[in-house]
Amino acid sequence: MMDHANLDRVLNTLKWYGRYQVTQMCLIYASVLPGSLNILAYIFVGYDAPHTCSEVSNTSQLGLTVRNGSSIRYSECDIFVDTNSSQGILTDRTYCVAGNAYLEHKQVSIVSDWDLVCGQASLSELTQTLFVLGQASGAILCSSLSDRFGRKWTYTISLMGLMVSGLVLSFSPNYAVFATFRFIGGIFQQGTDLTIATMIIEWVPTNKRFKAGSVGSCLWGVSLVTLAPLAYLLRNVSWRYLQLTVALTAAFSLILPFTLDETLRWLMANGKTKEVERLLKKAAKINNVPIDDVMASYRYSEVKVALSASDKATRDIEQLGNGIANGTQNTVVEVTVHDCTDAKENGMDATVENEAKTALLNAQNENSVVAQAGETNGDEDITGETHKSTKKYNLLDILKNRMIFKNALIVWYCWVVDSLVYYGLYMTSSTLAGNRYLNYFFNSVVEVPAALLIFLTLERFGRKKPSLMFHTTAGVSLLGAVLLKTFVVDSQAAQIAATILSMIGKLTITTAFGILFIYTPELFPTNLRNVGLGAAACVSRLGGIVSPFASMLEKMVAWGPGAIFVVMCLLAGFLIQFLPETRGHELPQTMEEIKEWYRANLPNQKKKDTKYR
């Protein structure tokens, strides 16, 4: 099987920016819009519309004694009858016997449409909780399916499911149906988002991953910003039209079975040699690149891998004293292959490369014992014939390895922090006075410069340092905002400064969150990549579940949410320094590759290698 370290050679020969790859990436990026809108559209669909008790047509409906001179007051959830007496004003209270009256039209949201207020108010919050629980379920379920059955069909089915569940939501006849499909929508939303995060980095060469991830983050921000004008334009009609519009943004999923292809990395990792060759020929034709050049690059990589395995097997057998001494022959072939590469790059004839492959085949035939010993995890030889199935991994493989598990714990904690702070800041800012559409717009527009920061920092500084820096900056800026709000209450300038610091905190935690989507998949091998990312996203739902309570805590303890955010961000920044840097490192394919990588990057672990096997 081709080593993933050689896939960059194939992608560059194919022209990674060619029409074929651009088309594939557009089909992937297009799902950012429905994926993001389905999360935050509930801010408007579930809007808690201002309301009061409806006025009664006859005072007898109140069930209270109403005398001449008594006054009736209508509040959000109660009706009060004030009566003058010799003992002062006596007040009687009852519930909204005539229903509720809303300051906006009746169908502005599900809250007003189904009267989810007062004693039923918790049902509105329950739908968001069900959505988050659906995301947690989808993070585990869909990520495992993606690693086992492929990215294409997991992505396609998830996106189709997101569209169907959204359509059902828009036509829901009652709350029970809405709540049920809100949970189902959460499953498919997470299946879509996590799969595209993996597909994006698997479709591009190593040195272009950060650019591909930055484009995704930018599109995420732009998608969230578009929700504000969309909701504003539909403000005078039923919430169902907004929900329907959001659902239809995923309608393009119907063409994915015929237009989207599986990622080359997943196909290689799972021994799908014939499919890899078919896609390479298809891409070469679309990109107008000579097919022979692409296939020669692919064959060269296979030869190099098989040769490397043969060399390793030879050394192992020599150490066992079997007397097989053909290292010189393999060395000659290795030199020949490299000479072939140089010739190819200079436009010379490719016959040298063919001679190299022939020489390797002869060497393998003469030393069949070496070739058999060199068969480690390979599913196929250089002819593309499958010998045995590729090893599959699951979540337990993360738990079994001490070093991988330690890194996973750090990453998972960071996901919880970013989810809690990111959505918590959204929730606490929603109580601001003023136009709710503008409030949402200003809070979402910060997503765009966050994507720019990701683009500017990842190439120059890698993943580790920017992640550490942005988490720490978020903690420090939110600390400043908490101190100003708590101890300098009467100063308008201090409050403006606190708002600015809060926005800086929102910007930096958004940037940190975006980096995690790129950083996390790079820390796991191919057949465990989406499981690792899914587990992280599942754990992060703890932050999503808790974040709605941030606004409630703020009403009781004004500095409470900010203090929690500060401590968690600073701790995340401290823990990130123990993670390995992934910039410039090709995506690992197997557990053994990732262990070797950890040993190479953490010299102090070499003495403990046996503990991590």
Side-chain angles (χ1 to χ4, degrees):
M1 182 186 296
M2 183 193 298
D3 192 324
H4 285 205
N6 296 298
L7 180 58
D8 284 358
R9 172 191 296 275
V10 179
L11 291 175
N12 288 324
T13 304
L14 190 60
K15 293 183 180 179
W16 68 270
Y17 50 86
R19 188 158 59 94
Y20 172 77
Q21 287 93 326
V22 170
T23 301
Q24 294 297 306
M25 293 299 285
C26 286
L27 291 173
I28 297 170
Y29 282 133
S31 64
V32 173
L33 180 63
S36 59
L37 294 187
N38 273 276
I39 294 179
L40 293 180
Y42 191 75
I43 291 178
F44 300 102
V45 171
Y47 169 58
D48 186 8
H51 60 91
T52 62
C53 292
S54 296
E55 295 186 8
V56 295
S57 57
N58 192 320
T59 57
S60 62
Q61 294 178 261
L62 296 176
L64 301 174
T65 301
V66 181
R67 301 172 181 174
N68 292 332
S70 295
S71 62
I72 302 175
R73 292 183 290 115
Y74 297 91
S75 67
E76 286 188 347
C77 299
D78 298 288
I79 300 175
F80 299 93
V81 177
D82 298 325
T83 304
N84 291 320
S85 68
S86 58
Q87 299 176 346
I89 298 178
L90 299 179
T91 301
D92 292 323
R93 183 179 66 179
T94 188
Y95 64 96
C96 299
V97 294
N100 298 281
Y102 297 90
L103 299 185
E104 300 182 51
H105 64 91
K106 176 68 173 174
Q107 293 190 334
V108 67
S109 70
I110 65 168
V111 173
S112 57
D113 197 5
W114 294 324
D115 288 325
L116 303 181
V117 295
C118 300
Q120 303 293 317
S122 59
L123 295 179
S124 176
E125 299 298 331
L126 178 60
T127 57
Q128 186 64 8
T129 301
L130 289 173
F131 181 79
V132 173
L133 291 176
Q135 287 182 304
S137 302
I140 294 298
L141 176 62
C142 296
S143 59
S144 298
L145 293 176
S146 175
D147 283 337
R148 183 169 294 274
F149 299 108
R151 319 303 193 203
K152 172 183 175 178
W153 288 109
T154 303
Y155 167 68
T156 301
I157 293 173
S158 294
L159 193 55
M160 287 181 176
L162 189 61
M163 179 184 68
V164 172
S165 61
L167 291 174
V168 175
L169 288 174
S170 63
F171 293 101
S172 297
N174 52 56
Y175 173 81
V177 174
F178 186 91
T180 300
F181 279 87
R182 184 70 174 155
F183 173 80
I184 295 174
I187 295 176
F188 290 125
Q189 191 281 331
Q190 202 66 179
T192 300
D193 272 12
L194 296 184
T195 306
I196 65 173
T198 300
M199 294 175 74
I200 286 173
I201 68 170
E202 288 187 347
W203 260 118
V204 296
T206 302
N207 61 344
K208 301 297 187 299
R209 292 200 303 255
F210 82 95
K211 292 182 179 179
S214 299
V215 171
S217 297
C218 183
L219 291 175
W220 175 275
V222 172
S223 298
L224 292 181
V225 171
T226 59
L227 180 59
L230 179 62
Y232 181 77
L233 291 174
L234 298 174
R235 68 190 184 282
N236 293 323
V237 296
S238 172
W239 60 269
R240 298 177 186 274
Y241 288 95
L242 176 59
Q243 180 60 54
L244 179 62
T245 304
V246 170
L248 291 178
T249 58
F252 74 95
S253 61
L254 298 176
I255 68 171
L256 292 181
F258 315 103
T259 55
L260 184 68
D261 291 325
E262 186 57 76
T263 66
L264 291 174
R265 294 187 191 275
W266 186 89
L267 291 172
M268 292 177 188
N270 289 273
K272 310 292 184 180
T273 306
K274 293 182 179 179
E275 183 65 12
V276 170
E277 293 181 355
R278 185 188 72 81
L279 289 184
L280 288 177
K281 292 176 182 178
K282 174 184 176 181
K285 182 178 180 180
I286 294 176
N287 289 352
N288 198 24
V289 175
I291 295 177
D292 291 342
D293 288 356
V294 176
M295 298 311 297
S297 178
Y298 174 64
R299 296 300 186 191
Y300 164 78
S301 298
E302 287 186 313
V303 169
K304 187 173 180 181
V305 171
L307 179 61
S308 176
S310 182
D311 284 341
K312 184 179 184 298
T314 301
R315 291 193 298 270
D316 292 343
I317 294 176
E318 286 176 344
Q319 291 175 0
L320 293 173
N322 288 343
I324 298 177
N326 60 347
T328 303
Q329 185 178 15
N330 285 334
T331 303
V332 173
V333 177
E334 179 72 34
V335 174
T336 304
V337 175
H338 283 293
D339 290 342
C340 164
T341 305
D342 295 337
K344 193 69 178 178
E345 291 174 353
N346 290 301
M348 297 176 63
D349 194 272
T351 56
V352 178
E353 181 182 5
N354 294 329
E355 293 175 0
K357 290 189 284 186
T358 302
L360 176 60
L361 287 169
N362 292 334
Q364 288 184 320
N365 290 332
E366 293 175 4
N367 302 288
S368 58
V369 175
V370 175
Q372 292 172 7
E375 186 85 27
T376 54
N377 272 339
D379 296 335
E380 59 216 6
D381 60 16
I382 61 172
T383 65
E385 296 178 358
T386 302
H387 291 292
K388 52 187 176 181
S389 60
T390 304
K391 182 178 179 181
K392 302 292 185 180
Y393 300 108
N394 54 48
L395 186 60
L396 293 178
D397 290 287
I398 296 178
L399 307 180
K400 291 176 182 177
N401 185 283
R402 181 178 172 187
M403 180 57 66
I404 297 175
F405 182 51
K406 185 202 77 172
N407 290 338
L409 284 178
I410 295 174
V411 170
W412 293 345
Y413 171 76
C414 291
W415 275 78
V416 173
V417 172
D418 291 0
S419 177
L420 174 61
V421 178
Y422 178 82
Y423 292 110
L425 289 175
Y426 259 114
M427 297 301 175
T428 54
S429 63
S430 64
T431 57
L432 295 175
N435 188 287
R436 60 191 177 100
Y437 300 99
L438 286 178
N439 288 341
Y440 171 83
F441 175 81
F442 289 129
N443 276 279
S444 59
V445 77
V446 75
E447 306 274 346
V448 178
L452 180 62
L453 283 176
I454 294 174
F455 180 82
L456 295 176
T457 58
L458 290 194
E459 181 179 27
R460 183 172 182 180
F461 302 107
R463 282 53 161 163
K464 181 177 177 178
K465 290 182 180 178
S467 185
L468 188 156
M469 177 183 69
F470 288 121
H471 278 98
T472 304
T473 303
V476 172
S477 59
L478 291 175
L479 175 61
V482 170
L483 293 176
L484 288 174
K485 288 181 179 180
T486 304
F487 298 106
V488 193
V489 180
D490 298 330
S491 172
Q492 184 177 2
Q495 296 306 306
I496 294 175
T499 301
I500 293 175
L501 288 173
S502 294
M503 293 303 295
I504 293 175
K506 176 66 165 52
L507 171 65
T508 50
I509 201 63
T510 300
T511 308
F513 209 173
I515 292 175
L516 269 187
F517 271 93
I518 301 173
Y519 197 4
T520 304
E522 295 177 341
L523 293 170
F524 298 96
T526 298
N527 280 354
L528 194 57
R529 185 164 299 126
N530 232 40
V531 169
L533 181 60
C538 179
V539 172
S540 74
R541 297 311 148 198
L542 294 174
I545 293 173
V546 174
S547 61
F549 296 98
S551 57
M552 296 175 60
L553 177 60
E554 187 178 41
K555 294 177 181 178
M556 297 183 289
V557 183
W559 51 267
I564 294 174
F565 297 162
V566 167
V567 173
M568 296 187 73
C569 285
L570 294 179
L571 180 58
F574 171 76
L575 292 175
I576 287 171
Q577 64 181 314
F578 298 105
L579 292 175
E581 176 57 68
T582 60
R583 181 183 61 169
H585 191 282
E586 185 49 50
L587 296 176
Q589 175 182 349
T590 65
M591 277 291 193
E592 289 304 320
E593 287 182 16
I594 207 166
K595 291 175 186 177
E596 290 294 332
W597 174 35
Y598 285 164
R599 284 193 285 268
N601 284 274
L602 299 173
N604 60 314
Q605 297 295 328
K606 290 182 178 180
K607 296 180 181 180
K608 304 179 180 180
D609 283 345
T610 56
K611 295 182 179 180
Y612 304 146
R613 290 183 180 275

